[in-house]
Amino acid sequence: MSRRHSSGSNTAATILAAIADIAAVILGLWIVMYWLDANRANDLVDFVQGAARWLAGWSHDLFTVDPDWLRVLLNYGLPAVVYLFIGHAVAGRLRRA
Protein backbone atom coordinates (compact mmCIF):
# COMPACT_ATOMS: atom_id res chain seq x y z
CA MET A 1 0.00 0.00 0.00
CA SER A 2 1.40 3.37 -0.92
CA ARG A 3 2.04 5.99 1.70
CA ARG A 4 -0.01 8.53 -0.24
CA HIS A 5 -3.11 6.29 -0.25
CA SER A 6 -2.84 5.70 3.48
CA SER A 7 -2.56 9.41 4.16
CA GLY A 8 -5.68 10.08 2.07
CA SER A 9 -7.60 7.46 4.00
CA ASN A 10 -6.55 9.02 7.28
CA THR A 11 -7.63 12.46 6.09
CA ALA A 12 -11.01 11.16 4.94
CA ALA A 13 -11.46 9.32 8.24
CA THR A 14 -10.62 12.44 10.23
CA ILE A 15 -13.08 14.53 8.21
CA LEU A 16 -15.82 11.93 8.60
CA ALA A 17 -15.28 11.68 12.36
CA ALA A 18 -15.32 15.49 12.64
CA ILE A 19 -18.62 15.70 10.75
CA ALA A 20 -20.13 13.08 13.06
CA ASP A 21 -18.85 15.00 16.08
CA ILE A 22 -20.31 18.29 14.81
CA ALA A 23 -23.69 16.67 14.18
CA ALA A 24 -23.71 15.21 17.70
CA VAL A 25 -22.69 18.56 19.23
CA ILE A 26 -25.52 20.37 17.42
CA LEU A 27 -28.04 17.79 18.64
CA GLY A 28 -26.66 17.92 22.17
CA LEU A 29 -26.66 21.71 22.13
CA TRP A 30 -30.34 21.73 21.16
CA ILE A 31 -31.16 19.34 24.02
CA VAL A 32 -29.40 21.64 26.49
CA MET A 33 -31.06 24.75 25.03
CA TYR A 34 -34.46 23.09 25.26
CA TRP A 35 -33.89 22.04 28.87
CA LEU A 36 -32.72 25.54 29.81
CA ASP A 37 -35.73 27.07 28.03
CA ALA A 38 -33.61 29.18 25.68
CA ASN A 39 -35.29 32.13 23.96
CA ARG A 40 -36.54 30.71 20.66
CA ALA A 41 -36.76 34.20 19.16
CA ASN A 42 -32.94 34.37 19.31
CA ASP A 43 -31.24 33.72 15.96
CA LEU A 44 -28.66 31.31 17.39
CA VAL A 45 -31.30 29.25 19.16
CA ASP A 46 -33.43 29.24 16.00
CA PHE A 47 -30.46 28.08 13.91
CA VAL A 48 -29.52 25.30 16.34
CA GLN A 49 -33.13 24.13 16.54
CA GLY A 50 -33.48 24.07 12.76
CA ALA A 51 -30.20 22.22 12.28
CA ALA A 52 -31.07 19.71 15.01
CA ARG A 53 -34.51 19.19 13.53
CA TRP A 54 -32.96 18.49 10.13
CA LEU A 55 -30.32 16.13 11.57
CA ALA A 56 -32.93 14.24 13.60
CA GLY A 57 -35.55 14.22 10.85
CA TRP A 58 -35.40 10.45 10.48
CA SER A 59 -36.19 9.95 14.17
CA HIS A 60 -38.83 12.67 14.49
CA ASP A 61 -41.44 11.55 17.04
CA LEU A 62 -39.92 8.09 17.25
CA PHE A 63 -40.64 8.27 20.97
CA THR A 64 -43.86 9.91 22.16
CA VAL A 65 -43.36 9.84 25.92
CA ASP A 66 -45.27 12.23 28.15
CA PRO A 67 -42.70 14.54 29.77
CA ASP A 68 -41.47 16.88 27.03
CA TRP A 69 -37.91 16.96 28.36
CA LEU A 70 -37.65 13.17 28.05
CA ARG A 71 -39.18 13.21 24.55
CA VAL A 72 -36.59 15.78 23.42
CA LEU A 73 -33.78 13.79 25.03
CA LEU A 74 -34.80 10.56 23.30
CA ASN A 75 -35.72 11.98 19.90
CA TYR A 76 -32.57 14.11 19.60
CA GLY A 77 -30.19 12.08 21.76
CA LEU A 78 -30.65 8.87 19.81
CA PRO A 79 -29.57 10.42 16.49
CA ALA A 80 -26.56 11.99 18.22
CA VAL A 81 -25.45 8.58 19.49
CA VAL A 82 -26.13 6.96 16.10
CA TYR A 83 -24.11 9.63 14.25
CA LEU A 84 -21.22 9.23 16.67
CA PHE A 85 -21.28 5.44 16.53
CA ILE A 86 -21.62 5.11 12.76
CA GLY A 87 -19.32 8.03 11.94
CA HIS A 88 -16.51 6.80 14.13
CA ALA A 89 -16.99 3.16 13.09
CA VAL A 90 -16.71 4.07 9.40
CA ALA A 91 -13.77 6.38 10.15
CA GLY A 92 -12.03 3.51 11.93
CA ARG A 93 -12.55 1.25 8.94
CA LEU A 94 -11.16 3.92 6.63
CA ARG A 95 -8.05 4.28 8.77
CA ARG A 96 -7.45 0.54 8.64
CA ALA A 97 -7.94 0.39 4.87
Side-chain angles (χ1 to χ4, degrees):
M1 181 181 317
S2 71
R3 188 164 171 75
R4 185 174 183 196
H5 177 70
S6 176
S7 176
S9 295
N10 283 336
T11 302
T14 302
I15 291 170
L16 183 62
I19 290 170
D21 291 344
I22 291 168
V25 165
I26 290 170
L27 290 163
L29 186 59
W30 170 243
I31 292 169
V32 170
M33 286 180 170
Y34 182 86
W35 283 354
L36 296 176
D37 198 24
N39 179 8
R40 300 214 179 134
N42 182 286
D43 290 338
L44 176 64
V45 176
D46 184 51
F47 172 77
V48 171
Q49 181 184 18
R53 209 176 257 168
W54 183 80
L55 288 167
W58 60 269
S59 69
H60 184 70
D61 287 338
L62 185 64
F63 300 100
T64 56
V65 293
D66 192 21
D68 285 342
W69 66 269
L70 183 57
R71 179 184 46 80
V72 169
L73 175 66
L74 293 173
N75 287 322
Y76 290 94
L78 176 66
V81 171
V82 168
Y83 288 137
L84 283 175
F85 179 76
I86 291 175
H88 284 269
V90 172
R93 297 281 295 192
L94 282 173
R95 282 190 182 101
R96 281 184 250 128

